[in-house]
Amino acid sequence: QVQPEESGGGLVQPGGSLRLSCAASGSIFGIALMGWYRQAPGKQRELVAGILSGGRTNYADSVKGRFTISRDNAKNTVYLQMNSLLPEDTAVYYCNVKPLIGPTAGDYWGQGTQVTVSS
């Protein structure tokens, strides 16, 4: 089993920055996709950013140029640096870890961390 655990959410003013972290406990063998999703009230969960083990990334159009995803494979940790935050970035942010091979291959979600952008 793999258990992601997020940290770093909170309240920030528009234009501010936050850094989210997600540490995945358990064993990850080989290639794993790690990513961040978010869900705002009344909306569906959406992909914010994803990163493969080799470092290849993809971003939602709404966050390109403002958010940066990175990872530390040795620590099974993924980060999301969020700059120039907007009120519409307010949501619960979820970490997702998908080991693609090995005995722990699967789809794992964290409990979520609240990000509120408001003056």
PDB file of all heavy atoms in Angstrom, residues 19-22 34-36 49-52 55-57 59 67-73 76-81:
ATOM      1  N   ARG A  19       3.263  26.714  -1.074  1.00  0.00           N
ATOM      2  CA  ARG A  19       3.929  25.501  -1.545  1.00  0.00           C
ATOM      3  C   ARG A  19       3.292  24.301  -0.866  1.00  0.00           C
ATOM      4  O   ARG A  19       3.297  24.197   0.361  1.00  0.00           O
ATOM      5  CB  ARG A  19       5.416  25.533  -1.238  1.00  0.00           C
ATOM      6  CG  ARG A  19       6.202  24.394  -1.877  1.00  0.00           C
ATOM      7  CD  ARG A  19       7.610  24.358  -1.390  1.00  0.00           C
ATOM      8  NE  ARG A  19       8.477  23.498  -2.186  1.00  0.00           N
ATOM      9  CZ  ARG A  19       9.481  22.780  -1.682  1.00  0.00           C
ATOM     10  NH1 ARG A  19       9.740  22.810  -0.393  1.00  0.00           N
ATOM     11  NH2 ARG A  19      10.235  22.041  -2.487  1.00  0.00           N
ATOM     12  N   LEU A  20       2.750  23.414  -1.676  1.00  0.00           N
ATOM     13  CA  LEU A  20       2.178  22.178  -1.176  1.00  0.00           C
ATOM     14  C   LEU A  20       3.206  21.060  -1.277  1.00  0.00           C
ATOM     15  O   LEU A  20       3.999  21.015  -2.232  1.00  0.00           O
ATOM     16  CB  LEU A  20       0.933  21.785  -1.969  1.00  0.00           C
ATOM     17  CG  LEU A  20      -0.183  22.820  -2.052  1.00  0.00           C
ATOM     18  CD1 LEU A  20      -1.375  22.232  -2.830  1.00  0.00           C
ATOM     19  CD2 LEU A  20      -0.605  23.297  -0.688  1.00  0.00           C
ATOM     20  N   SER A  21       3.173  20.161  -0.303  1.00  0.00           N
ATOM     21  CA  SER A  21       4.026  18.981  -0.315  1.00  0.00           C
ATOM     22  C   SER A  21       3.176  17.742  -0.144  1.00  0.00           C
ATOM     23  O   SER A  21       2.125  17.787   0.508  1.00  0.00           O
ATOM     24  CB  SER A  21       5.060  19.038   0.817  1.00  0.00           C
ATOM     25  OG  SER A  21       5.898  20.161   0.701  1.00  0.00           O
ATOM     26  N   CYS A  22       3.646  16.652  -0.703  1.00  0.00           N
ATOM     27  CA  CYS A  22       2.952  15.374  -0.550  1.00  0.00           C
ATOM     28  C   CYS A  22       3.997  14.283  -0.427  1.00  0.00           C
ATOM     29  O   CYS A  22       4.740  14.028  -1.385  1.00  0.00           O
ATOM     30  CB  CYS A  22       2.039  15.108  -1.725  1.00  0.00           C
ATOM     31  SG  CYS A  22       1.315  13.447  -1.723  1.00  0.00           S
ATOM     32  N   MET A  34       2.958  11.051 -10.443  1.00  0.00           N
ATOM     33  CA  MET A  34       2.516  11.781  -9.257  1.00  0.00           C
ATOM     34  C   MET A  34       1.880  13.076  -9.727  1.00  0.00           C
ATOM     35  O   MET A  34       2.336  13.682 -10.703  1.00  0.00           O
ATOM     36  CB  MET A  34       3.681  12.062  -8.311  1.00  0.00           C
ATOM     37  CG  MET A  34       4.421  10.808  -7.872  1.00  0.00           C
ATOM     38  SD  MET A  34       5.790  11.128  -6.735  1.00  0.00           S
ATOM     39  CE  MET A  34       4.910  11.276  -5.173  1.00  0.00           C
ATOM     40  N   GLY A  35       0.846  13.495  -9.023  1.00  0.00           N
ATOM     41  CA  GLY A  35       0.182  14.694  -9.488  1.00  0.00           C
ATOM     42  C   GLY A  35      -0.670  15.351  -8.430  1.00  0.00           C
ATOM     43  O   GLY A  35      -0.865  14.819  -7.333  1.00  0.00           O
ATOM     44  N   TRP A  36      -1.144  16.528  -8.791  1.00  0.00           N
ATOM     45  CA  TRP A  36      -2.040  17.300  -7.947  1.00  0.00           C
ATOM     46  C   TRP A  36      -3.348  17.549  -8.690  1.00  0.00           C
ATOM     47  O   TRP A  36      -3.339  17.923  -9.861  1.00  0.00           O
ATOM     48  CB  TRP A  36      -1.402  18.639  -7.587  1.00  0.00           C
ATOM     49  CG  TRP A  36      -0.242  18.514  -6.657  1.00  0.00           C
ATOM     50  CD1 TRP A  36       1.079  18.439  -6.990  1.00  0.00           C
ATOM     51  CD2 TRP A  36      -0.291  18.442  -5.231  1.00  0.00           C
ATOM     52  NE1 TRP A  36       1.850  18.318  -5.865  1.00  0.00           N
ATOM     53  CE2 TRP A  36       1.032  18.329  -4.770  1.00  0.00           C
ATOM     54  CE3 TRP A  36      -1.322  18.483  -4.293  1.00  0.00           C
ATOM     55  CZ2 TRP A  36       1.352  18.243  -3.414  1.00  0.00           C
ATOM     56  CZ3 TRP A  36      -1.007  18.397  -2.950  1.00  0.00           C
ATOM     57  CH2 TRP A  36       0.315  18.281  -2.515  1.00  0.00           C
ATOM     58  N   ALA A  49      -1.665  19.487 -12.123  1.00  0.00           N
ATOM     59  CA  ALA A  49      -0.336  19.230 -12.687  1.00  0.00           C
ATOM     60  C   ALA A  49       0.063  17.796 -12.408  1.00  0.00           C
ATOM     61  O   ALA A  49      -0.325  17.226 -11.394  1.00  0.00           O
ATOM     62  CB  ALA A  49       0.698  20.186 -12.100  1.00  0.00           C
ATOM     63  N   GLY A  50       0.858  17.228 -13.318  1.00  0.00           N
ATOM     64  CA  GLY A  50       1.353  15.878 -13.145  1.00  0.00           C
ATOM     65  C   GLY A  50       2.823  15.805 -13.510  1.00  0.00           C
ATOM     66  O   GLY A  50       3.326  16.633 -14.278  1.00  0.00           O
ATOM     67  N   ILE A  51       3.506  14.791 -12.952  1.00  0.00           N
ATOM     68  CA  ILE A  51       4.930  14.626 -13.234  1.00  0.00           C
ATOM     69  C   ILE A  51       5.277  13.150 -13.198  1.00  0.00           C
ATOM     70  O   ILE A  51       4.866  12.412 -12.301  1.00  0.00           O
ATOM     71  CB  ILE A  51       5.788  15.432 -12.219  1.00  0.00           C
ATOM     72  CG1 ILE A  51       7.267  15.339 -12.574  1.00  0.00           C
ATOM     73  CG2 ILE A  51       5.517  15.010 -10.783  1.00  0.00           C
ATOM     74  CD1 ILE A  51       8.134  16.352 -11.820  1.00  0.00           C
ATOM     75  N   LEU A  52       6.017  12.711 -14.213  1.00  0.00           N
ATOM     76  CA  LEU A  52       6.486  11.335 -14.276  1.00  0.00           C
ATOM     77  C   LEU A  52       7.807  11.194 -13.526  1.00  0.00           C
ATOM     78  O   LEU A  52       8.455  12.196 -13.201  1.00  0.00           O
ATOM     79  CB  LEU A  52       6.672  10.907 -15.727  1.00  0.00           C
ATOM     80  CG  LEU A  52       5.421  10.483 -16.483  1.00  0.00           C
ATOM     81  CD1 LEU A  52       5.722  10.318 -17.964  1.00  0.00           C
ATOM     82  CD2 LEU A  52       4.862   9.195 -15.914  1.00  0.00           C
ATOM     83  N   GLY A  55      10.684  13.160 -14.765  1.00  0.00           N
ATOM     84  CA  GLY A  55      10.600  14.607 -14.679  1.00  0.00           C
ATOM     85  C   GLY A  55       9.699  15.271 -15.702  1.00  0.00           C
ATOM     86  O   GLY A  55       9.503  16.490 -15.659  1.00  0.00           O
ATOM     87  N   ARG A  56       9.140  14.505 -16.624  1.00  0.00           N
ATOM     88  CA  ARG A  56       8.237  15.104 -17.604  1.00  0.00           C
ATOM     89  C   ARG A  56       6.980  15.598 -16.895  1.00  0.00           C
ATOM     90  O   ARG A  56       6.401  14.889 -16.083  1.00  0.00           O
ATOM     91  CB  ARG A  56       7.874  14.082 -18.681  1.00  0.00           C
ATOM     92  CG  ARG A  56       7.038  14.639 -19.803  1.00  0.00           C
ATOM     93  CD  ARG A  56       6.907  13.608 -20.921  1.00  0.00           C
ATOM     94  NE  ARG A  56       6.139  14.133 -22.047  1.00  0.00           N
ATOM     95  CZ  ARG A  56       5.934  13.465 -23.166  1.00  0.00           C
ATOM     96  NH1 ARG A  56       6.430  12.255 -23.320  1.00  0.00           N
ATOM     97  NH2 ARG A  56       5.229  13.996 -24.145  1.00  0.00           N
ATOM     98  N   THR A  57       6.539  16.822 -17.247  1.00  0.00           N
ATOM     99  CA  THR A  57       5.419  17.442 -16.545  1.00  0.00           C
ATOM    100  C   THR A  57       4.300  17.836 -17.502  1.00  0.00           C
ATOM    101  O   THR A  57       4.513  17.992 -18.704  1.00  0.00           O
ATOM    102  CB  THR A  57       5.870  18.707 -15.802  1.00  0.00           C
ATOM    103  OG1 THR A  57       6.419  19.643 -16.748  1.00  0.00           O
ATOM    104  CG2 THR A  57       6.924  18.387 -14.758  1.00  0.00           C
ATOM    105  N   TYR A  59       0.545  20.465 -17.253  1.00  0.00           N
ATOM    106  CA  TYR A  59      -0.195  21.409 -16.427  1.00  0.00           C
ATOM    107  C   TYR A  59      -1.553  21.728 -17.049  1.00  0.00           C
ATOM    108  O   TYR A  59      -1.695  21.736 -18.275  1.00  0.00           O
ATOM    109  CB  TYR A  59       0.568  22.736 -16.299  1.00  0.00           C
ATOM    110  CG  TYR A  59       1.876  22.644 -15.569  1.00  0.00           C
ATOM    111  CD1 TYR A  59       3.059  22.409 -16.247  1.00  0.00           C
ATOM    112  CD2 TYR A  59       1.928  22.809 -14.188  1.00  0.00           C
ATOM    113  CE1 TYR A  59       4.269  22.327 -15.578  1.00  0.00           C
ATOM    114  CE2 TYR A  59       3.138  22.731 -13.508  1.00  0.00           C
ATOM    115  CZ  TYR A  59       4.294  22.491 -14.212  1.00  0.00           C
ATOM    116  OH  TYR A  59       5.485  22.420 -13.539  1.00  0.00           O
ATOM    117  N   PHE A  67       2.127  27.909 -11.631  1.00  0.00           N
ATOM    118  CA  PHE A  67       2.394  26.770 -10.752  1.00  0.00           C
ATOM    119  C   PHE A  67       3.558  25.948 -11.312  1.00  0.00           C
ATOM    120  O   PHE A  67       3.718  25.829 -12.530  1.00  0.00           O
ATOM    121  CB  PHE A  67       1.174  25.862 -10.659  1.00  0.00           C
ATOM    122  CG  PHE A  67      -0.007  26.440  -9.926  1.00  0.00           C
ATOM    123  CD1 PHE A  67      -0.056  27.780  -9.551  1.00  0.00           C
ATOM    124  CD2 PHE A  67      -1.081  25.633  -9.605  1.00  0.00           C
ATOM    125  CE1 PHE A  67      -1.153  28.307  -8.885  1.00  0.00           C
ATOM    126  CE2 PHE A  67      -2.181  26.136  -8.935  1.00  0.00           C
ATOM    127  CZ  PHE A  67      -2.219  27.477  -8.577  1.00  0.00           C
ATOM    128  N   THR A  68       4.319  25.344 -10.405  1.00  0.00           N
ATOM    129  CA  THR A  68       5.410  24.460 -10.796  1.00  0.00           C
ATOM    130  C   THR A  68       5.365  23.188  -9.968  1.00  0.00           C
ATOM    131  O   THR A  68       5.357  23.257  -8.735  1.00  0.00           O
ATOM    132  CB  THR A  68       6.770  25.134 -10.605  1.00  0.00           C
ATOM    133  OG1 THR A  68       6.823  26.348 -11.366  1.00  0.00           O
ATOM    134  CG2 THR A  68       7.895  24.212 -11.076  1.00  0.00           C
ATOM    135  N   ILE A  69       5.331  22.058 -10.642  1.00  0.00           N
ATOM    136  CA  ILE A  69       5.356  20.773  -9.957  1.00  0.00           C
ATOM    137  C   ILE A  69       6.768  20.211 -10.017  1.00  0.00           C
ATOM    138  O   ILE A  69       7.471  20.371 -11.026  1.00  0.00           O
ATOM    139  CB  ILE A  69       4.336  19.784 -10.575  1.00  0.00           C
ATOM    140  CG1 ILE A  69       4.203  18.535  -9.710  1.00  0.00           C
ATOM    141  CG2 ILE A  69       4.690  19.436 -12.009  1.00  0.00           C
ATOM    142  CD1 ILE A  69       3.052  17.627 -10.115  1.00  0.00           C
ATOM    143  N   SER A  70       7.180  19.581  -8.923  1.00  0.00           N
ATOM    144  CA  SER A  70       8.495  18.939  -8.879  1.00  0.00           C
ATOM    145  C   SER A  70       8.402  17.721  -7.959  1.00  0.00           C
ATOM    146  O   SER A  70       7.408  17.553  -7.241  1.00  0.00           O
ATOM    147  CB  SER A  70       9.558  19.923  -8.373  1.00  0.00           C
ATOM    148  OG  SER A  70       9.253  20.379  -7.069  1.00  0.00           O
ATOM    149  N   ARG A  71       9.433  16.900  -7.980  1.00  0.00           N
ATOM    150  CA  ARG A  71       9.406  15.702  -7.150  1.00  0.00           C
ATOM    151  C   ARG A  71      10.801  15.318  -6.710  1.00  0.00           C
ATOM    152  O   ARG A  71      11.791  15.640  -7.372  1.00  0.00           O
ATOM    153  CB  ARG A  71       8.734  14.538  -7.872  1.00  0.00           C
ATOM    154  CG  ARG A  71       9.456  14.053  -9.087  1.00  0.00           C
ATOM    155  CD  ARG A  71       8.596  13.079  -9.885  1.00  0.00           C
ATOM    156  NE  ARG A  71       8.560  11.758  -9.265  1.00  0.00           N
ATOM    157  CZ  ARG A  71       7.732  10.788  -9.652  1.00  0.00           C
ATOM    158  NH1 ARG A  71       6.876  10.994 -10.635  1.00  0.00           N
ATOM    159  NH2 ARG A  71       7.771   9.604  -9.064  1.00  0.00           N
ATOM    160  N   ASP A  72      10.844  14.609  -5.596  1.00  0.00           N
ATOM    161  CA  ASP A  72      12.072  14.020  -5.086  1.00  0.00           C
ATOM    162  C   ASP A  72      11.828  12.515  -5.023  1.00  0.00           C
ATOM    163  O   ASP A  72      11.139  12.029  -4.115  1.00  0.00           O
ATOM    164  CB  ASP A  72      12.396  14.593  -3.701  1.00  0.00           C
ATOM    165  CG  ASP A  72      13.717  14.100  -3.146  1.00  0.00           C
ATOM    166  OD1 ASP A  72      14.146  12.975  -3.516  1.00  0.00           O
ATOM    167  OD2 ASP A  72      14.322  14.799  -2.335  1.00  0.00           O
ATOM    168  N   ASN A  73      12.355  11.784  -5.995  1.00  0.00           N
ATOM    169  CA  ASN A  73      12.075  10.349  -6.078  1.00  0.00           C
ATOM    170  C   ASN A  73      12.634   9.596  -4.877  1.00  0.00           C
ATOM    171  O   ASN A  73      12.035   8.610  -4.437  1.00  0.00           O
ATOM    172  CB  ASN A  73      12.657   9.780  -7.374  1.00  0.00           C
ATOM    173  CG  ASN A  73      11.909  10.253  -8.604  1.00  0.00           C
ATOM    174  OD1 ASN A  73      10.707  10.509  -8.545  1.00  0.00           O
ATOM    175  ND2 ASN A  73      12.614  10.382  -9.718  1.00  0.00           N
ATOM    176  N   ASN A  76      10.056   9.951  -2.304  1.00  0.00           N
ATOM    177  CA  ASN A  76       8.665   9.715  -2.731  1.00  0.00           C
ATOM    178  C   ASN A  76       7.792  10.927  -2.406  1.00  0.00           C
ATOM    179  O   ASN A  76       6.679  10.795  -1.874  1.00  0.00           O
ATOM    180  CB  ASN A  76       8.091   8.458  -2.064  1.00  0.00           C
ATOM    181  CG  ASN A  76       8.656   7.180  -2.627  1.00  0.00           C
ATOM    182  OD1 ASN A  76       9.238   7.180  -3.717  1.00  0.00           O
ATOM    183  ND2 ASN A  76       8.506   6.111  -1.905  1.00  0.00           N
ATOM    184  N   THR A  77       8.292  12.086  -2.731  1.00  0.00           N
ATOM    185  CA  THR A  77       7.611  13.330  -2.392  1.00  0.00           C
ATOM    186  C   THR A  77       7.423  14.178  -3.644  1.00  0.00           C
ATOM    187  O   THR A  77       8.312  14.262  -4.485  1.00  0.00           O
ATOM    188  CB  THR A  77       8.417  14.124  -1.348  1.00  0.00           C
ATOM    189  OG1 THR A  77       8.552  13.334  -0.161  1.00  0.00           O
ATOM    190  CG2 THR A  77       7.715  15.426  -0.987  1.00  0.00           C
ATOM    191  N   VAL A  78       6.241  14.786  -3.739  1.00  0.00           N
ATOM    192  CA  VAL A  78       5.936  15.685  -4.842  1.00  0.00           C
ATOM    193  C   VAL A  78       5.544  17.037  -4.258  1.00  0.00           C
ATOM    194  O   VAL A  78       4.933  17.109  -3.186  1.00  0.00           O
ATOM    195  CB  VAL A  78       4.824  15.112  -5.743  1.00  0.00           C
ATOM    196  CG1 VAL A  78       3.517  14.917  -4.977  1.00  0.00           C
ATOM    197  CG2 VAL A  78       4.616  15.954  -6.985  1.00  0.00           C
ATOM    198  N   TYR A  79       5.908  18.084  -4.968  1.00  0.00           N
ATOM    199  CA  TYR A  79       5.660  19.443  -4.512  1.00  0.00           C
ATOM    200  C   TYR A  79       4.860  20.212  -5.565  1.00  0.00           C
ATOM    201  O   TYR A  79       4.925  19.913  -6.751  1.00  0.00           O
ATOM    202  CB  TYR A  79       6.978  20.181  -4.269  1.00  0.00           C
ATOM    203  CG  TYR A  79       7.929  19.461  -3.360  1.00  0.00           C
ATOM    204  CD1 TYR A  79       8.935  18.640  -3.883  1.00  0.00           C
ATOM    205  CD2 TYR A  79       7.835  19.585  -1.978  1.00  0.00           C
ATOM    206  CE1 TYR A  79       9.818  17.975  -3.049  1.00  0.00           C
ATOM    207  CE2 TYR A  79       8.717  18.916  -1.132  1.00  0.00           C
ATOM    208  CZ  TYR A  79       9.706  18.117  -1.684  1.00  0.00           C
ATOM    209  OH  TYR A  79      10.573  17.454  -0.848  1.00  0.00           O
ATOM    210  N   LEU A  80       4.146  21.218  -5.082  1.00  0.00           N
ATOM    211  CA  LEU A  80       3.459  22.129  -5.998  1.00  0.00           C
ATOM    212  C   LEU A  80       3.701  23.547  -5.496  1.00  0.00           C
ATOM    213  O   LEU A  80       3.177  23.942  -4.460  1.00  0.00           O
ATOM    214  CB  LEU A  80       1.959  21.841  -6.060  1.00  0.00           C
ATOM    215  CG  LEU A  80       1.197  22.659  -7.103  1.00  0.00           C
ATOM    216  CD1 LEU A  80       1.621  22.250  -8.518  1.00  0.00           C
ATOM    217  CD2 LEU A  80      -0.312  22.503  -6.939  1.00  0.00           C
ATOM    218  N   GLN A  81       4.535  24.275  -6.227  1.00  0.00           N
ATOM    219  CA  GLN A  81       4.778  25.678  -5.929  1.00  0.00           C
ATOM    220  C   GLN A  81       3.738  26.506  -6.659  1.00  0.00           C
ATOM    221  O   GLN A  81       3.652  26.442  -7.892  1.00  0.00           O
ATOM    222  CB  GLN A  81       6.181  26.084  -6.360  1.00  0.00           C
ATOM    223  CG  GLN A  81       6.495  27.556  -6.126  1.00  0.00           C
ATOM    224  CD  GLN A  81       6.546  27.909  -4.652  1.00  0.00           C
ATOM    225  OE1 GLN A  81       7.114  27.177  -3.852  1.00  0.00           O
ATOM    226  NE2 GLN A  81       5.959  29.040  -4.288  1.00  0.00           N
TER     227      GLN A  81
END
